[in-house]
Amino acid sequence: MTTPEPPTSPAAPAASASADDRRAVTGKRRIAFAVYVADAGRLPGLQALLRSLALTNPALCEDVVVLHPGLPDTAFDAAHRLHPRLMPRTADGPHDVFRIDGYDTVIALAPTLVVLGSLDPLLRLRTGVAAVPRPGPDGVPDPRNGVPDDGLLVIQRQDLDRPVAGAAAQDIPESLLVPLDSRYDFRALRLGDDLAVPEGVVVLNFADAPTVCGGPAHAARTRFDLDDEAFRAAYLALPGAKHPDLLLHLALPFPDGSRPPIDLVRQLAEIHRGRGHHDQAVALLGEAVAGRPDLPRCHETLGVCLMALSRYEEAETHLLLATASTDFAPRAYGQLARLAWLLGRTEDARGYALAGLESDPTDANCRAWYARTSEMVAAGATSSDAPPGEQLAHVALFADGEENAGDKVLPEAVRSCFTTDTGPDRWHQQHAHLLVDEAGLERLNARRAVIVGGGGLFLPDTAPNGNSGWQWNIPDDVLARITAPLAVFAVGYNVFDGQRYRRERFAASLRALVERSAFFGLRNHGSVARVRELLPASLREKVRYQPCPTTVARHLDPRLAEPAAREDTVLLNCAYDRAGLRFGHDYGHFLAEMASAIRAMSAAAEVRYAAHMPADERFVDDLRREHGLTLPVEPLYLLSNDAIRDLYRRTRLVIGMRGHAGMIPFGCGTPVISLVSHPKLAYFLADIDRPDWGVSVHERALGARLAERALAVLADHPAAVADVHERQRGLWSVTRDNLALLRELTGLPDPFGDPGQGAGPVVPAPRSAAAEDRAAPSLRNAPPTS
């Protein structure tokens, strides 16, 4: 249980130990409910309120801060069973709801309330203090009477410039009061014994009303007077989406001796899977499907979770069981193709993909795997004849097909830091997701050095594996036996704000990686700080700053250093992977504000949409449907790397939500504005000392701020370009210093001429064995440490 806080300062709850909290970086809005419980006699009302909230808003689960005058912790045991994020705090009185720090929006409730409908409209409020006006002495509703002690309030903390004490109605300026419709705080006292609760009432308030009276109002409340077992059953029986926190809290543990419905087990396993707790998902599903080959959907989920734990043989067995169902065969075959590919069994992967297409010729995943593996088979027949000792090994994410455009440009940018020839003669390509087995280890050690990066490889969930806990699928014992010089180059810590993951495996693998690496460079100072937090003090100084090479492209490619012929356009990009983590409750607000900004910018330039992935085009569809605006689309995922860079060079401004929708155009010398929905965008802007080039997607005045900034760039475009060039010179200076160190590691001569000219890299001559032995000891791999 929690320890009561001092009554003078109701404290915000600590962030969950299992969730990454970077709201200070992204500006993500944090919402809480707050309830003041004056004495133990109000606890049954609190419990009824919590049940009503869950049963009428099953997909909603925010912190519930319970303020009280000093009740014992045990007094809240029953309430804790009803809600997973209940946080008791001591307080002086009900007006301490105005003094709860750590939240942007506080929805104050009372134990006299029950919730009958959706609270989503209240979550979307962004200004002032909202309440239902009460009648004044003359019977006319008056906003000054809209701040109750025993009703509902929606408080925007940034609008309160000082703590509120005493009578809130007198202390809050009338200009901040926002009237709510009466359905959000409807007084049961207005209803007689026989009057029905009006249709559309969202919150029913029994303050000053006898709760023992009969009639429809009484019935509306007593339906939430349930024991724990009945409440759990009622919640689990609800149709539609449920919040993962609530569902786990109310479903587990299963009652002793009960056999839970298999669909419920699968839902819980999917929640664990989504949070990276694959072992818990396997434990749930393994017991449920034992001896049950007739559960293809569960076998598919189990197979995917086993794959994420790197238990590949078991995973393949369960995925094959899932193919017995015509409904799930295409999905299962797609996963089998991926599994076989991970293990280097390209022909098997191609066969699985083909089997999936035979089950469903329209399955996009199987079609993509068939194309990828067919290309790999063809490429294998015409592979480079270059001696391995003349090559560098490159471990990265290599996008193909209609995958992320940024992930296509990035590997080439990394290689161009080392050699002019970025193709297979100079580089051995090792996809980070492929398991590094004994044969893979031998291939890496045969190369003159191993370069890992760039990109956001320190991410737990794109392709989870149990070997490392991040994107490079390499077991610790294999990593320890890499003898080729190893460099981590421009990698990013890419965990989302609010993302849950288990750090233990990642932290252990990270330590082994830093110990083994001769060079360890991360692409922003934010990533440097986050990774250092996970390392022992003895290793922290090995972590250095190495900007993403896409940000210095003008210095890597002489063609990009030439003045650009620009069109009168602005390119806009938005990202939709993990949309819940990006937008929270603010997507509707974001869309409306962006529509306002686009209308303002369109007076100065044509606004076009740059889609890095097909999924990014959701913005264009939503904008047209909700706000009647149509944007031309540039499908960057279909373009070559040169064409992507050329498009970004020819525009006057890029407004991007993806990291590389900012870094690639910046590297080409184009002004950028970042839509910050992920910490990495803010980290990059901090590195170049231009935080004002970013606007949070949660910003209340997003449209006005974005339009103002964009129009200023367009109005004095030469100055904006010059500023980009100046910022870029600082990144290039850091990169040149790091590359000087890396020359010792790789044996390459100085690859660049005059740093101001951006001369291209020089292809090195092959090194002899003696030259390898003369490599500087400071950059040789040290023996493993205990």
Side-chain angles (χ1 to χ4, degrees):
M1 295 297 173
T2 56
T3 301
E5 298 286 343
T8 56
S9 179
S16 168
S18 61
D20 229 57
D21 185 0
R22 282 296 175 270
R23 289 174 293 114
V25 176
T26 63
K28 187 174 182 178
R29 190 163 58 113
R30 191 170 182 190
I31 300 173
F33 293 99
V35 186
Y36 180 72
V37 178
D39 52 56
R42 301 294 185 98
L43 291 172
L46 169 67
Q47 294 157 25
L49 171 64
L50 294 173
R51 295 187 201 100
S52 71
L53 183 62
L55 292 176
T56 57
N57 291 262
L60 176 64
C61 187
E62 305 293 341
D63 291 352
V64 177
V65 180
V66 180
L67 304 176
H68 61 93
L71 297 174
D73 286 347
T74 55
F76 299 99
D77 286 353
H80 276 294
R81 293 195 298 270
L82 304 177
H83 199 281
R85 293 163 65 177
L86 192 83
M87 301 176 183
R89 298 286 184 268
T90 56
D92 288 336
H95 293 296
D96 276 356
V97 297
F98 293 96
R99 301 165 56 219
I100 299 175
D101 292 328
Y103 297 98
D104 303 287
T105 300
V106 175
I107 301 177
L109 304 172
T112 58
L113 307 178
V114 291
V115 181
L116 305 181
S118 172
L119 297 183
D120 285 350
L122 301 183
L123 299 173
R124 292 194 289 267
L125 294 175
R126 299 298 302 268
T127 59
V129 177
V132 174
R134 296 185 184 183
D138 56 359
V140 177
D142 181 354
R144 300 296 303 174
N145 297 326
V147 184
D149 293 344
D150 55 4
L152 179 142
L153 299 172
V154 184
I155 303 163
Q156 308 302 330
R157 292 285 291 118
Q158 73 179 87
D159 288 332
L160 300 180
D161 57 0
R162 59 189 176 89
V164 176
Q170 285 74 35
D171 291 346
I172 299 176
E174 185 173 352
S175 61
L176 289 182
L177 294 175
V178 178
L180 288 176
D181 189 276
S182 63
R183 68 179 181 271
Y184 291 109
D185 190 356
F186 191 89
R187 298 272 162 163
L189 192 62
R190 297 169 56 184
L191 302 173
D193 288 348
D194 297 327
L195 291 178
V197 177
E199 185 176 353
V201 166
V202 176
V203 178
L204 190 58
N205 193 337
F206 286 88
D208 303 321
T211 59
V212 295
C213 65
H218 175 67
R221 185 185 186 284
T222 56
R223 71 185 179 96
F224 301 114
D225 290 334
L226 304 169
D227 61 30
D228 287 355
E229 184 177 352
F231 168 59
R232 287 173 50 156
Y235 182 82
L236 297 177
L238 291 172
K242 299 179 179 66
H243 194 282
D245 286 354
L246 264 176
L247 184 55
L248 283 176
H249 186 74
L250 297 178
L252 297 174
F254 298 130
D256 290 340
S258 68
R259 188 174 182 86
I262 194 65
D263 284 345
L264 174 60
V265 173
R266 189 192 56 78
Q267 287 181 59
L268 300 177
E270 288 285 5
I271 294 172
H272 286 312
R273 173 191 170 192
R275 293 179 172 179
H277 300 172
H278 299 98
D279 54 343
Q280 295 184 30
V282 167
L284 276 173
L285 284 170
E287 182 178 351
V289 305
R292 297 286 306 275
D294 59 326
L295 299 173
R297 191 173 186 181
C298 291
H299 281 288
E300 187 221 0
T301 300
L302 179 54
V304 171
C305 292
L306 287 164
M307 198 186 333
L309 294 173
S310 299
R311 293 163 58 177
Y312 297 117
E313 186 175 345
E314 297 170 78
E316 191 162 17
T317 296
H318 287 281
L319 290 171
L320 285 169
L321 286 171
T323 64
S325 166
T326 55
D327 292 334
F328 292 98
R331 286 172 46 172
Y333 277 123
Q335 294 293 349
L336 283 164
R338 176 171 169 263
L339 185 152
W341 173 79
L342 288 175
L343 301 180
R345 293 160 38 195
T346 306
E347 291 284 4
D348 288 347
R350 187 166 178 254
Y352 281 138
L354 181 58
L357 289 174
E358 290 171 349
S359 298
D360 180 2
T362 68
D363 188 87
N365 190 38
C366 288
R367 186 168 63 250
W369 278 113
Y370 185 74
R372 169 183 281 186
T373 51
S374 296
E375 290 173 4
M376 290 175 65
V377 170
T382 59
S383 59
S384 172
D385 294 327
E390 296 181 14
Q391 293 179 313
L392 296 169
H394 189 194
V395 177
L397 302 183
F398 299 100
D400 54 21
E402 296 185 0
E403 296 183 270
N404 193 333
D407 289 338
K408 296 179 181 180
V409 174
L410 178 58
E412 182 184 34
V414 169
R415 295 178 182 190
S416 65
C417 291
F418 299 88
T419 64
T420 299
D421 182 354
T422 60
D425 285 343
R426 290 294 176 186
W427 292 87
H428 166 68
Q429 180 170 303
Q430 171 78 23
H431 198 292
H433 295 166
L434 289 172
L435 174 67
V436 184
D437 55 14
E438 293 300 320
L441 175 64
E442 184 177 350
R443 288 191 293 271
L444 293 177
N445 283 336
R447 268 65 193 184
R448 69 190 316 159
V450 178
I451 310 298
V452 180
L457 297 182
F458 292 150
L459 180 70
D461 64 348
T462 296
N465 71 81
N467 289 319
S468 71
W470 56 291
Q471 295 300 290
W472 192 14
N473 192 357
I474 183 168
D476 288 354
D477 69 304
V478 176
L479 177 63
R481 289 184 285 127
I482 290 181
T483 56
L486 176 63
V488 174
F489 189 80
V491 167
Y493 181 89
N494 253 31
V495 177
F496 278 76
D497 175 24
Q499 187 168 22
R500 301 168 184 265
Y501 77 106
R502 288 186 167 174
R503 292 167 171 79
E504 295 85 358
R505 176 80 290 266
F506 171 56
S509 177
L510 176 67
R511 175 173 179 168
L513 179 69
V514 176
E515 289 175 338
R516 175 55 56 182
S517 299
F519 179 91
F520 196 93
L522 302 185
R523 68 183 179 184
N524 50 61
H525 284 95
S527 291
V528 169
R530 301 307 310 284
V531 166
R532 283 178 174 173
E533 291 172 359
L534 298 172
L535 292 172
S538 61
L539 292 176
R540 289 172 189 163
E541 291 307 311
K542 287 192 69 173
V543 182
R544 64 172 63 236
Y545 171 47
Q546 168 53 55
C548 180
T550 60
T551 65
V552 293
R554 290 178 58 255
H555 296 271
L556 297 172
D557 185 342
R559 297 172 299 175
L560 300 178
E562 298 296 325
R566 300 188 186 272
E567 300 171 353
D568 200 20
T569 60
V570 172
L571 290 180
L572 171 65
N573 164 268
C574 298
Y576 281 89
D577 54 307
R578 307 169 187 83
L581 292 173
R582 291 185 183 275
F583 299 110
H585 295 288
D586 291 340
Y587 182 61
H589 166 79
F590 166 77
L591 203 62
E593 292 293 305
M594 290 301 296
S596 173
I598 289 168
R599 289 189 175 99
M601 292 186 294
S602 295
E606 180 188 13
V607 181
R608 303 179 70 86
Y609 191 73
H612 274 226
M613 299 179 69
D616 292 357
E617 295 177 18
R618 175 182 164 184
F619 177 82
V620 178
D621 297 335
D622 290 353
L623 188 71
R624 180 173 56 247
R625 184 183 65 254
E626 298 295 330
H627 299 282
L629 288 176
T630 301
L631 296 182
V633 176
E634 301 282 359
L636 271 66
Y637 52 86
L638 297 178
L639 303 182
S640 68
N641 289 351
D642 283 342
I644 291 169
R645 287 185 289 259
D646 184 61
L647 182 68
Y648 275 142
R649 288 188 75 230
R650 287 187 287 105
T651 193
R652 298 178 67 195
L653 170 66
V654 176
I655 300 170
M657 192 183 297
R658 291 195 176 278
H660 280 106
M663 290 187 286
I664 294 173
F666 175 91
C668 295
T670 299
V672 298
I673 300 174
S674 290
L675 296 170
V676 180
S677 67
H678 189 291
K680 65 183 178 184
L681 288 96
Y683 292 158
F684 170 65
L685 298 181
D687 288 342
I688 61 174
D689 196 26
R690 286 294 181 265
D692 56 309
W693 289 6
V695 184
S696 170
V697 299
H698 307 279
E699 167 66 41
R700 205 156 59 169
L702 168 61
R705 284 196 57 191
L706 180 59
E708 179 184 18
R709 173 64 190 158
L711 293 173
V713 170
L714 297 174
D716 194 358
H717 195 259
V721 172
D723 198 5
V724 169
H725 290 180
E726 178 63 26
R727 303 296 106 192
Q728 198 177 62
R729 275 191 283 272
L731 304 184
W732 179 236
S733 177
V734 174
T735 300
R736 284 297 305 271
D737 290 345
N738 286 337
L739 290 177
L741 294 174
L742 284 162
R743 287 199 301 274
E744 303 177 27
L745 178 69
T746 62
L748 304 180
D750 186 352
F752 301 99
D754 180 355
Q757 301 302 312
V762 177
V763 179
R767 289 199 300 175
S768 66
E772 293 281 355
D773 292 339
R774 291 194 298 270
S778 62
L779 284 172
R780 298 291 291 177
N781 283 332
T785 58
S786 58

